[in-house]
Amino acid sequence: SNLSSYHGVCFLPLGFTSNPFDAGWSDFDRHGQLALVYAHEYFHHYQLAHMLERTPYFAPNNAPYIEDPAWYSEGTAVAFQSAWLKTYFSSLEVFSDSAQSDIAAAGRTVNDSRSFKEIRRKLMGADGEKNQNCSSDWAMTELEEDGATWGECDAKMLVPSYLAYLTSWETVLVDIPKIYYDLGFWGAVYSLTGLSKTELYSDFNEFMRSGDAEDEPPLGWELTPEIFLALDFLNIDYERL
């Protein structure tokens, strides 16, 4: 519409690029962290582009509103950044003579096997290394939909993986943005999964405490380079203005 913006800007001050998150990274790890940040913010631009003039969860006034929850916007961007770096790290000059294991310090995906087990051990009160940001009584609720009210538990970032397990990463990263302008986020989820918000959260809470805490994540849980390369991001028809 005539209200649409044709440009997206990600503002990263020089101080941040010199020392991301004030973490004191080595030069090698700093480049890795910046690569993750750039991929993360680029994915947010992709999300916003398919909203057209409708606003995301963090925009002022929230009207008209896509109703995408923070766990979706951020959880998918984190999955994307990790898969992107694993897929293309050897194409970046700074990593040309490196192996993937060398850049592990620059960031680890939240939806890998290790993180999956650490979170579940905490939720299930099991032995072993645990995610200390979570508690055994944590539950997915509407509070996790807004960055102003969500808690510290990283389990919320796994809801996109749960949706991918139920459907596919193509559904989560491509099909939902393809239709959330017309249907809104929850309308898109219902259209593609048959689940309401209440049902999704209830099923996710049950799943995260089912089976054994040492079980591997189910097939399709992690966004791997193989799955990433098969995603058809460019096949979304855009609105002709």
Side-chain angles (χ1 to χ4, degrees):
S1 76
N2 60 1
L3 300 177
S4 298
S5 170
Y6 296 92
H7 305 282
V9 176
C10 175
F11 178 66
L12 294 176
L14 180 61
F16 178 86
T17 58
S18 299
N19 186 15
F21 306 112
D22 298 321
W25 303 93
S26 67
D27 282 346
F28 182 85
D29 285 338
R30 180 175 66 87
H31 285 295
Q33 188 62 57
L34 286 175
L36 289 169
V37 169
Y38 294 155
H40 181 107
E41 299 305 331
Y42 183 86
F43 190 74
H44 282 324
H45 176 75
Y46 158 79
Q47 293 171 324
L48 291 167
H50 290 294
M51 295 179 189
L52 299 175
E53 82 280 1
R54 299 185 73 180
T55 60
Y57 78 90
F58 55 79
N61 302 322
N62 295 337
Y65 190 30
I66 290 293
E67 296 185 330
D68 60 318
W71 60 257
Y72 175 80
S73 176
E74 297 301 332
T76 53
V78 169
F80 177 89
Q81 71 183 35
S82 300
W84 180 86
L85 187 56
K86 285 183 177 180
T87 303
Y88 294 114
F89 80 100
S90 61
S91 300
L92 303 178
E93 184 177 356
V94 68
F95 301 134
S96 59
D97 297 321
S98 305
Q100 285 192 20
S101 57
D102 296 329
I103 62 171
R108 196 184 84 217
T109 179
V110 176
N111 61 16
D112 62 6
S113 173
R114 178 178 166 185
S115 296
F116 178 75
K117 293 179 182 180
E118 288 176 356
I119 291 172
R120 278 165 51 85
R121 289 184 194 123
K122 188 67 173 183
L123 297 182
M124 299 169 75
D127 294 332
E129 187 176 358
K130 302 179 181 68
N131 184 308
Q132 296 303 321
N133 290 331
C134 299
S135 62
S136 59
D137 61 352
W138 178 88
M140 187 67 195
T141 70
E142 289 185 342
L143 291 175
E144 307 292 353
E145 296 177 9
D146 192 320
T149 59
W150 70 5
E152 294 295 323
C153 183
D154 296 318
K156 61 181 175 289
M157 305 292 273
L158 299 185
V159 181
S161 289
Y162 180 65
L163 280 171
Y165 155 64
L166 295 178
T167 56
S168 68
W169 279 106
E170 181 83 13
T171 296
V172 174
L173 301 183
V174 178
D175 294 341
I176 288 177
K178 186 186 297 185
I179 60 176
Y180 63 19
Y181 176 82
D182 293 317
L183 302 181
F185 175 80
W186 289 109
V189 169
Y190 184 79
S191 174
L192 294 165
T193 69
L195 294 172
S196 66
K197 179 195 300 189
T198 301
E199 291 169 329
L200 174 63
Y201 288 175
S202 176
D203 290 355
F204 176 74
N205 287 328
E206 181 179 353
F207 172 82
M208 289 301 291
R209 292 173 171 83
S210 64
D212 189 279
E214 299 307 314
D215 289 343
E216 292 293 328
L219 188 66
W221 184 266
E222 183 178 353
L223 181 57
T224 63
E226 293 74 22
I227 296 174
F228 177 83
L229 286 171
L231 295 172
D232 196 2
F233 286 110
L234 300 181
N235 195 34
I236 299 182
D237 289 334
Y238 57 90
E239 296 283 338
R240 271 71 173 177
L241 302 179

